[in-house]
């Protein structure tokens, strides 16, 4: 599955209506792959697909296992040769547990439902189809914050730490199958993920630069692709966790 040509590939990308998902979808499409983008908002998906003739869309809420199972059925019938799945759907909110009043538990759970449970549902539903291929890739999009958390976004950070752990386990379980398990680990990237914030995060990486680096890692066949500052956090979390925790959360005290 490594290499720069994807003319025979069929790629499904969740969270494909914006940000990293849309950027990866565009690049795979340009390289000749048949691309299906999935997400909750039809208008966003259509806006991306309209720029790439032949790109398909699927409206789905990955947090709903019934919708995910139905999606797997449709994709399996339409694209039985699906060989690349990119679990990219994710949301991020700022939650202050130091506040005097408790938060809405449904709102707290929504982030877990999309970022972690949704990834599990999609993986579970599509693995049988991927395993039918002679060679396939399952790509999970993690985060540098899965290694060093941003205290202001505690649920997001925790879900991405869980995504990393799950990906490591999944890679080991599938080591003797035809499915290669990859984790792309972004730094802060300039995307709509942060549209709820008052200002763009500092040192955010341009989306185009991130996609270029991520694709280079995929072309090289690397199982973990930590891009830019995410690689610094991955290493720093092992070398000096307290120091890097303070660096990431500088100014929150």
């Amino acid at each position: 599955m490594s290499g720069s040509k994807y003319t025979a590939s069929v790629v499904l990308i969740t969270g494909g209506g914006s940000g990293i998902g849309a950027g990866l979808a565009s690049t795979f499409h340009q390289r000749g792959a048949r691309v299906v983008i999935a997400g909750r908002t039809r208008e966003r998906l259509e806006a991306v697909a309209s720029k790439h003739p032949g790109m398909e869309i699927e409206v789905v809420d990955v947090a709903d296992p019934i919708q995910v199972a139905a999606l797997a059925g449709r994709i399996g019938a339409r694209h039985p040769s699906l060989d690349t799945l990119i679990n990219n759907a994710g949301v991020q909110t700022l939650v202050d547990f130091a506040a005097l009043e408790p938060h809405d538990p449904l709102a707290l759970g929504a982030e877990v439902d999309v970022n972690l449970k949704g990834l599990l549902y999609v993986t579970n539903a599509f693995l049988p189809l991927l395993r039918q291929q002679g060679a396939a890739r399952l790509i999970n999009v993690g985060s540098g914050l899965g290694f060093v958390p941003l205290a202001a976004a505690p649920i997001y950070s925790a879900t991405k730490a869980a995504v990393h752990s799950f990906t490591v386990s999944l890679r080991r379980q599938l080591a003797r199958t035809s499915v290669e398990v990859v984790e792309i680990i972004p730094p802060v990237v300039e995307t709509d993920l942060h549209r709820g914030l008052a200002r763009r995060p500092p040192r955010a990486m341009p989306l185009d630069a991130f996609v270029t680096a991520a694709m280079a890692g995929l072309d090289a066949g690397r199982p973990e692709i930590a891009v830019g500052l995410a690689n610094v956090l991955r290493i720093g979390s092992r070398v000096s966790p307290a120091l890097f925790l303070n660096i990431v959360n500088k100014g929150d005290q």
Side-chain angles (χ1 to χ4, degrees):
M1 293 298 297
S2 61
S4 59
K5 295 182 179 179
Y6 295 91
T7 53
S9 288
V10 181
V11 182
L12 171 65
I13 305 175
T14 67
S18 63
I20 289 173
L24 291 172
S26 176
T27 301
F28 273 103
H29 183 269
Q30 291 169 6
R31 291 185 176 202
R34 173 159 293 196
V35 178
V36 183
I37 53 173
R40 291 185 291 189
T41 307
R42 178 177 293 276
E43 292 75 17
R44 284 177 172 265
L45 297 170
E46 289 177 342
V48 174
S50 67
K51 302 173 185 176
H52 304 93
M55 185 177 290
E56 301 175 24
I57 70 169
E58 284 283 353
V59 178
V60 65
D61 181 355
V62 297
D64 184 339
I66 295 176
Q67 290 188 37
V68 170
L71 174 67
R74 294 194 300 273
I75 295 296
R78 199 163 74 241
H79 297 298
S81 60
L82 178 81
D83 61 1
T84 303
L85 168 64
I86 303 178
N87 278 312
N88 169 73
V91 294
Q92 182 188 102
T93 58
L94 304 184
V95 184
D96 183 7
F97 284 97
L100 294 178
E101 296 297 323
H103 298 278
D104 177 359
L106 293 180
L108 297 178
E111 210 163 345
V112 179
D113 290 342
V114 174
N115 296 358
L116 180 57
K117 292 168 70 174
L119 182 144
L120 299 178
Y121 296 151
V122 174
T123 297
N124 180 60
F126 280 91
L127 263 177
L129 181 57
L130 291 174
R131 293 195 62 176
Q132 291 177 16
Q133 315 308 326
R137 269 195 302 210
L138 193 160
I139 302 166
N140 292 333
V141 177
S143 171
L145 298 183
F147 295 86
V148 180
L150 176 65
I155 301 174
Y156 178 85
S157 299
T159 60
K160 290 302 185 178
V163 166
H164 172 68
S165 179
F166 174 69
T167 305
V168 171
S169 296
L170 190 66
R171 185 180 299 121
R172 188 173 182 89
Q173 287 190 3
L174 298 178
R176 297 183 180 179
T177 74
S178 62
V179 181
E180 177 187 1
V181 179
V182 179
E183 183 179 10
I184 298 176
I185 307 168
V188 178
V189 178
E190 293 177 355
T191 72
D192 286 346
L193 179 69
H194 309 288
R195 60 184 175 270
L197 303 183
R199 61 185 179 86
R200 290 285 185 180
R203 299 184 298 279
M205 186 176 192
L207 177 60
D208 288 348
F210 166 76
V211 170
T212 297
M215 292 301 297
L218 290 174
D219 291 343
R222 289 157 47 195
E224 277 191 11
I225 305 165
V227 178
L229 290 176
N231 193 44
V232 176
L233 296 183
R234 182 176 63 163
I235 296 170
S237 69
R238 300 166 184 168
V239 175
S240 185
L243 172 62
F244 279 84
L245 182 64
N246 288 334
I247 291 173
V248 168
N249 293 282
K250 184 179 180 181
D252 69 349
Q253 299 297 327

